[in-house]
Amino acid sequence: MNFIFVSPHFPKTYWNFCDRLHRNGVNVLGIGDAPFEEIPSELRHCLTEYYRVGDLGNYDEMVRAVGYFTFHYGKIDWLESNNEYWLEMDAQLRTDFNITTGAQNDFIARIKFKSRMKEGYRAAGVPVARHHMVSTLDAARDFIREVGYPVIVKPDNGCGAEATYKLRDETDLRAFYAEPPSVPYIMEEYISGTIVSFDGVADSHCVPLFYTSNVFPTPLLDIVSRQGDLAYWTQKKVPAKLKDVGFRTIKAFGAKSRFFHCEFFQLDADKPGLGKKGDYVALEVNMRPAGGYTPDMINYANSVDCYQIWADMVCYDEVRNLDLNGPKYFCVYASRRDCHTYRHSHEAILARYGTRMKMCDVLPPALRLDMGDRMYTVNLRTEAERDAFIRFVQERA
């Protein structure tokens, strides 16, 4: 099997995807924009060959790279980046080179545009927020008269909380329309609740081979707009109601043979037309691993190897020789920003939590907007320990 992995060096733990494919006997071919000598040694050892391009976003360069590998190794069986930024390009390359595994252009359109995502969620029987495609100020006012303030405006095709705004009143609305966006925007009614994700790997029949869940207590929009500190965690157990909603979502979207990260609001109060307190309302789908180092958190929380699970899906369409029933923990992420002063020093955090620390790192610039400048990740057994860790790391001086 010839597998092209796009951008295997970023995020830095993604070399694990290539390593597990290599262990399964796959011929792994990498395309990246970093010099070969600068990519991790672990990655170099599991690639058959690496093709460097000047710009991963230059489609002509990417076509030449895939063409080079096709000429030297024969037909390409798989091409994937597992990265939100490259999903559309991945699909176009598959289409142009007749690579029939993985998402094609029609699937990507359903998962990249927030307005289109709602169709999939409705098909799954999951309620969605009312929305309006941004056009005129008068049309926005008509929509707001229906749903009330605040409303959320964000790019119809966008990732994370970047360029997303909460409009709280007429003043905010006028300010937004004073400089209309140059790309299509969607306006949605505001949903009050906790963001909860359903994550895992689906087989070729759109059935999860493995699944877990993450909780994001503070919306990324608030963290980005206020230079806040991100904290979230991988759950010890997926609630039965979330499992049901998640399985229906994966099936309705036709998400086959890939990682998934589906986001929901869990309502913190009854919301007429959407559900009761505790119910799940659709937010977004992301048919790739959750951002940053979340795959590693999934591993630590569930005592699994999700990189191997994914590689087994690619090679066998099933999980082989892996125990999915190991010990469960809360794997908790807490970040800090260099612009703030904190009560407890880096040394104090390590002194208290060092034996339970799974990751401790300075984030690369590309991840800092949402995820902070420095992060700490630990495994903990109880909710009380989880909450105490977040307070200790993020308490301001």
Side-chain angles (χ1 to χ4, degrees):
M1 178 189 292
N2 292 321
F3 193 114
I4 292 179
F5 203 101
V6 177
S7 189
H9 58 293
F10 183 84
K12 69 179 185 180
T13 58
Y14 271 29
W15 68 268
N16 286 285
F17 287 116
C18 298
D19 175 74
R20 305 313 189 271
L21 289 172
H22 178 70
R23 292 186 193 182
N24 280 3
V26 174
N27 190 40
V28 188
L29 308 165
I31 303 177
D33 56 4
F36 181 74
E37 60 273 12
E38 292 183 9
I39 66 175
S41 60
E42 299 95 337
L43 176 59
R44 294 199 297 269
H45 292 152
C46 58
L47 293 177
T48 301
E49 190 170 354
Y50 178 78
Y51 188 109
R52 184 189 179 190
V53 296
D55 178 4
L56 282 165
N58 185 313
Y59 195 71
D60 288 341
E61 285 193 80
M62 295 299 295
V63 167
R64 285 194 293 271
V66 178
Y68 170 86
F69 283 142
T70 301
F71 178 79
H72 286 277
Y73 297 97
K75 179 168 173 52
I76 304 304
D77 300 292
W78 282 77
L79 182 148
E80 186 63 81
S81 67
N82 278 337
N83 194 311
E84 178 76 20
Y85 196 77
W86 308 117
L87 287 182
E88 290 168 292
M89 184 186 66
D90 292 348
Q92 188 61 56
L93 287 168
R94 292 188 199 102
T95 300
D96 290 346
F97 284 88
N98 193 31
I99 303 169
T100 56
T101 54
Q104 305 296 310
N105 285 338
D106 59 338
F107 177 79
I108 294 299
R110 298 201 305 272
I111 66 168
K112 285 293 289 181
F113 293 91
K114 296 174 176 63
S115 54
R116 294 284 304 276
M117 292 177 192
K118 293 178 184 293
E119 300 169 10
Y121 272 123
R122 290 191 187 100
V126 182
V128 300
R130 289 170 288 182
H131 78 286
H132 155 77
M133 294 306 298
V134 168
S135 55
T136 66
L137 180 57
D138 286 342
R141 286 176 174 145
D142 289 342
F143 175 71
I144 293 168
R145 274 193 287 271
E146 178 184 351
V147 302
Y149 281 108
V151 292
I152 303 297
V153 288
K154 52 190 176 183
D156 194 28
N157 181 3
C159 179
E162 191 170 3
T164 298
Y165 311 100
K166 180 191 289 187
L167 309 183
R168 296 172 174 82
D169 51 33
E170 177 73 13
T171 300
D172 287 350
L173 184 67
R174 284 181 173 275
F176 175 75
Y177 276 88
E179 297 183 22
S182 58
V183 298
Y185 258 63
I186 185 172
M187 178 180 290
E188 293 182 324
E189 66 178 314
Y190 178 75
I191 305 297
S192 181
T194 301
I195 296 175
V196 179
S197 69
F198 182 69
D199 302 74
V201 178
D203 67 13
S204 64
H205 304 289
C206 309
V207 176
L209 295 170
F210 164 78
Y211 59 91
T212 187
S213 172
N214 294 288
V215 176
F216 303 83
T218 304
L220 286 180
L221 171 60
D222 294 342
I223 290 169
V224 171
S225 62
R226 300 172 186 173
Q227 284 279 287
D229 297 321
L230 174 64
Y232 71 103
W233 55 86
T234 304
Q235 300 203 72
K236 291 176 68 173
K237 183 179 180 181
V238 178
K241 186 183 294 187
L242 177 60
K243 175 187 174 183
D244 174 59
V245 168
F247 269 62
R248 285 191 277 121
T249 298
I250 298 306
K251 181 66 73 174
F253 274 91
K256 64 179 182 178
S257 303
R258 63 186 306 105
F259 236 106
F260 57 81
H261 170 65
C262 305
E263 297 175 343
F264 304 88
F265 291 107
Q266 185 172 26
L267 296 177
D268 57 18
D270 294 355
K271 178 76 171 177
L274 290 180
K276 300 290 187 181
K277 180 179 179 180
D279 287 347
Y280 295 98
V281 175
L283 176 54
E284 295 181 10
V285 292
N286 299 278
M287 295 304 175
R288 42 78 178 169
Y293 304 133
T294 308
D296 304 278
M297 293 173 58
I298 288 172
N299 287 343
Y300 295 132
N302 292 278
S303 302
V304 297
D305 183 344
C306 68
Y307 300 106
Q308 187 66 56
I309 292 169
W310 175 84
D312 283 0
M313 175 275 295
V314 169
C315 296
Y316 316 120
D317 203 29
E318 64 181 12
V319 179
R320 294 191 174 182
N321 302 318
L322 284 176
D323 180 8
L324 303 184
N325 298 303
K328 309 295 183 183
Y329 304 90
F330 291 106
C331 189
V332 191
Y333 176 106
S335 72
R336 311 212 299 193
R337 295 189 186 272
D338 294 341
C339 60
H340 302 312
T341 302
Y342 298 89
R343 180 174 179 181
H344 303 290
S345 67
H346 170 70
E347 291 74 21
I349 295 171
L350 295 184
R352 176 170 291 199
Y353 291 100
T355 58
R356 287 170 285 183
M357 193 74 66
K358 296 299 181 181
M359 294 182 285
C360 172
D361 204 0
V362 175
L363 277 295
L367 299 179
R368 291 183 180 182
L369 179 68
D370 293 344
M371 305 196 74
D373 298 310
R374 179 185 292 274
M375 67 87 166
Y376 303 88
T377 305
V378 298
N379 262 13
L380 299 168
R381 294 186 178 277
T382 69
E383 294 181 7
E385 288 180 317
R386 177 195 72 201
D387 297 343
F389 167 72
I390 294 170
R391 285 195 302 270
F392 191 84
V393 171
Q394 297 183 340
E395 186 176 0
R396 304 279 177 86

